[in-house]
Amino acid sequence: MNITRENIDELNAVVKVDIAKEDYAGKVDKILKDYRKNANIPGFRKGHVPMGMVKKQYGQAVLVDEVNKLLQESLNKYLTEEKLDVLGNPLPKDQENFDWESDNYSFEFELGIAPEFDVDLDLKKPVTKYNIVADEKMVNDQITSIQKQYGKLKTKEEVAEGDTVAGTFKNEEEGIENETTIELENIKGKRNLNKFVGSKVGDTITLKTKNLFEDDHALINHLSIEHDKAHDLDIEVEFTISEVNERELADLDQELFDKLFGKDKVKSVTELKEKIKEDAAKQFEQQSDQQLMNDITEALIEATNFELPKEFLQKWIQTVGEKPMTEEEAKEEYEKSEKGLRYQLIEGKVVNDNNLNVDFNDLKEFTSEKIKQQMAQFGQMDPSQKELDDISARILSNQEEVKRLSEQLMNEKLLAFYKENMKFDEKEVTYEEFVKAIYK
């Protein structure tokens, strides 16, 4: 066997694999002898079928199968030994008048070679790193929400702003009759709210469904209708009030603080505000980090220039799907995926140049930490090491989970590396300012 390579340019090559009869004949003969031993052909005893008949019936298929196996093994071995960083898979070239009746064969494959390039993390225009903080309004809103959650309901006869009203929505023509409870703060518009305020238990008020709630999806629950029906629903409904409740806010005292955070962890409203800010910062950090990673990705793609074997990749895309693509479809698919491919190469370069690998111990520790976080959400604050090890072992026995967690861990390692080695334009913003900056 002989394998040679012709470099067309820096990004494209053709590999030629020559296979001689002596490379495959022994394997083919052995398989045919095994077929002969087990063949059941009428008129012959088992194991006594003439070899000529066996070759006639099975020889061509066995030959093709063994040559193809040998071809793939030798080609993969060559690519590994030569340390060729190829994109996609080798593509067999069309060969006219190929003859399987011959003893010796030649096969040619097109290769797309990954480009060589450097990644410069010292960008001319630094990426913005958002540090999201809870502003005074958010903190106060959170305190009010806590007071409502832990407060008491006080039954009353007449509706006022901020009350909770129970009752029944009706519209006979549309077949609507549903008991529900409405938080008046979710009612949209002063006109709608005024219809409630001043009403009493037993009163029936008429409302229009369009723009009735701050969230249009609330119609689905309050009227008990299908999602498709709720879209742009504009009808009149009657609402008969059966109960009115005023929520008395819980006192901001030590009893409430202990319920929220444990005994004596928080001892004043000032400390409560600091705790809310601290918890909010942790929650915001995940969103900030995700946006930072997105922005770093875009910035590195823009700043790192290299050519790709575009024509080869378009040919390869035509062959890899369940259904073959036309040239036009493959071109369109390439244009959609080119940016992702570029970042894959950039990320691979950063990972390899800086030894940012994920080993099994890293993955096991990462999985245990994720399990602890989930258990804490359900009140299990101190699981034993054996519990963590047993759950981790079950999770890591699933290859799909291993892949998913490995990708998460690598993403965290990359982000930590970027944070340590890149300069950023840091901005402290409220969550509202962050949303406006990102979504314009």
Side-chain angles (χ1 to χ4, degrees):
M1 183 186 301
N2 186 43
I3 302 181
T4 55
R5 181 174 84 247
E6 178 189 356
N7 292 325
I8 308 302
D9 54 39
E10 290 183 352
L11 300 174
N12 296 274
V14 173
V15 168
K16 184 179 180 184
V17 182
D18 294 320
I19 297 178
K21 185 175 182 179
E22 57 265 26
D23 296 322
Y24 62 83
K27 288 184 180 180
V28 171
D29 287 344
K30 183 179 182 305
I31 291 171
L32 290 175
K33 284 176 184 176
D34 290 340
Y35 275 25
R36 185 186 180 209
K37 289 177 187 176
N38 299 299
N40 287 311
I41 296 179
F44 298 94
R45 284 184 297 143
K46 188 175 180 179
H48 289 76
V49 180
M51 180 55 80
M53 187 173 288
V54 173
K55 285 184 177 180
K56 186 176 181 181
Q57 188 163 350
Y58 302 108
Q60 181 83 3
V62 171
L63 169 67
V64 171
D65 191 42
E66 287 306 307
V67 169
N68 277 323
K69 283 181 186 175
L70 183 61
L71 178 62
Q72 289 303 318
E73 288 171 4
S74 57
L75 183 58
N76 290 337
K77 184 180 178 184
Y78 173 81
L79 295 178
T80 302
E81 289 178 347
E82 293 292 310
K83 297 180 180 178
L84 288 176
D85 190 3
V86 298
L87 300 177
N89 294 316
L91 288 178
K93 291 188 72 173
D94 290 333
Q95 292 173 265
E96 294 182 8
N97 303 319
F98 188 86
D99 183 13
W100 281 107
E101 299 296 330
S102 174
D103 289 336
N104 302 317
Y105 309 104
S106 289
F107 301 91
E108 291 185 344
F109 293 87
E110 294 180 63
L111 301 182
I113 310 297
E116 292 186 7
F117 60 91
D118 293 316
V119 180
D120 187 359
L121 299 181
D122 187 12
L123 302 176
K124 291 180 181 177
K125 183 182 177 183
V127 172
T128 300
K129 182 178 183 294
Y130 294 98
N131 299 317
I132 310 171
V133 296
D135 60 5
E136 197 66 25
K137 181 180 181 303
M138 179 176 282
V139 172
N140 289 334
D141 286 348
Q142 181 65 17
I143 290 174
T144 302
S145 177
I146 290 169
Q147 287 181 283
K148 285 182 178 180
Q149 183 181 347
Y150 288 90
K152 295 177 183 177
L153 286 177
K154 177 184 174 183
T155 302
K156 53 192 286 196
E157 285 296 312
E158 187 173 313
V159 180
E161 286 192 36
D163 286 347
T164 299
V165 182
T168 303
F169 275 113
K170 281 186 181 180
N171 179 302
E172 289 185 11
E173 189 177 332
E174 295 290 335
I176 296 170
E177 184 170 353
N178 189 56
E179 292 183 13
T180 189
T181 301
I182 301 171
E183 301 277 351
L184 288 191
E185 62 188 26
N186 296 326
I187 292 293
K188 186 175 183 178
K190 198 72 176 173
R191 180 179 296 178
N192 288 325
L193 184 60
N194 286 341
K195 289 187 178 183
F196 283 92
V197 174
S199 300
K200 297 179 181 179
V201 172
D203 286 353
T204 298
I205 59 178
T206 302
L207 300 156
K208 283 202 167 186
T209 56
K210 191 171 180 65
N211 296 322
L212 178 56
F213 296 99
E214 290 289 349
D215 180 1
D216 288 338
H217 288 85
L219 272 181
I220 298 169
N221 296 324
H222 289 306
L223 272 61
S224 189
I225 56 177
E226 295 177 0
H227 184 278
D228 292 343
K229 193 173 181 180
H231 185 64
D232 291 331
L233 184 67
D234 189 5
I235 60 171
E236 282 192 345
V237 288
E238 291 182 341
F239 184 76
T240 302
I241 300 171
S242 59
E243 187 178 342
V244 180
N245 289 296
E246 177 185 5
R247 188 173 291 278
E248 292 184 343
L249 299 182
D251 292 330
L252 296 174
D253 55 17
Q254 194 60 47
E255 182 182 354
L256 178 61
F257 301 155
D258 290 348
K259 278 182 185 177
L260 292 170
F261 305 108
K263 188 165 176 59
D264 295 334
K265 295 286 180 66
V266 170
K267 295 183 179 180
S268 67
V269 173
T270 301
E271 288 182 14
L272 173 63
K273 288 185 175 183
E274 287 304 314
K275 181 66 175 169
I276 290 172
K277 284 183 179 180
E278 181 185 318
D279 290 346
K282 288 177 183 176
Q283 292 176 11
F284 292 148
E285 186 177 8
Q286 187 175 356
Q287 287 177 276
S288 175
D289 280 350
Q290 182 60 58
Q291 187 59 43
L292 179 62
M293 193 64 173
N294 292 344
D295 291 343
I296 290 171
T297 299
E298 292 291 334
L300 289 178
I301 290 171
E302 187 176 339
T304 310
N305 296 314
F306 52 82
E307 295 296 320
L308 288 170
K310 181 176 177 179
E311 290 182 10
F312 169 84
L313 288 170
Q314 288 178 6
K315 278 189 195 176
W316 175 70
I317 287 170
Q318 280 186 269
T319 68
V320 293
E322 290 183 10
K323 296 179 181 178
M325 290 186 183
T326 64
E327 283 187 27
E328 199 59 40
E329 288 172 334
K331 182 180 179 182
E332 188 178 328
E333 185 63 29
Y334 172 79
E335 287 171 355
K336 286 193 289 186
S337 59
E338 182 184 358
K339 184 181 281 190
L341 174 58
R342 286 183 176 278
Y343 184 67
Q344 276 186 337
L345 292 171
I346 292 168
E347 182 182 287
K349 178 75 172 170
V350 173
V351 168
N352 290 331
D353 286 356
N354 299 282
N355 297 315
L356 301 178
N357 301 309
V358 172
D359 62 31
F360 186 74
N361 287 331
D362 288 339
L363 189 58
K364 186 178 176 183
E365 186 179 333
F366 179 73
T367 304
S368 290
E369 193 57 40
K370 291 291 181 188
I371 294 166
K372 280 167 71 175
Q373 291 171 9
Q374 286 191 332
M375 293 177 82
Q377 291 176 0
F378 294 97
Q380 293 175 267
M381 306 303 293
D382 191 24
S384 69
Q385 191 59 49
K386 184 178 185 308
E387 282 182 289
L388 294 173
D389 289 344
D390 288 347
I391 298 171
S392 293
R394 286 200 299 274
I395 291 172
L396 296 177
S397 66
N398 183 320
Q399 288 304 307
E400 286 297 317
E401 284 297 299
V402 169
K403 182 174 181 291
R404 183 180 67 83
L405 290 165
S406 296
E407 287 172 355
Q408 281 186 19
L409 178 53
M410 178 53 75
N411 202 57
E412 288 193 9
K413 284 195 169 194
L414 274 167
L415 184 58
F417 176 79
Y418 290 145
K419 281 182 176 181
E420 189 176 334
N421 292 278
M422 294 181 74
K423 295 174 184 175
F424 300 103
D425 177 15
E426 299 207 25
K427 286 187 178 179
E428 188 174 282
V429 293
T430 65
Y431 184 71
E432 188 176 341
E433 289 169 338
F434 173 73
V435 171
K436 283 181 180 177
I438 299 307
Y439 299 107
K440 305 295 186 282

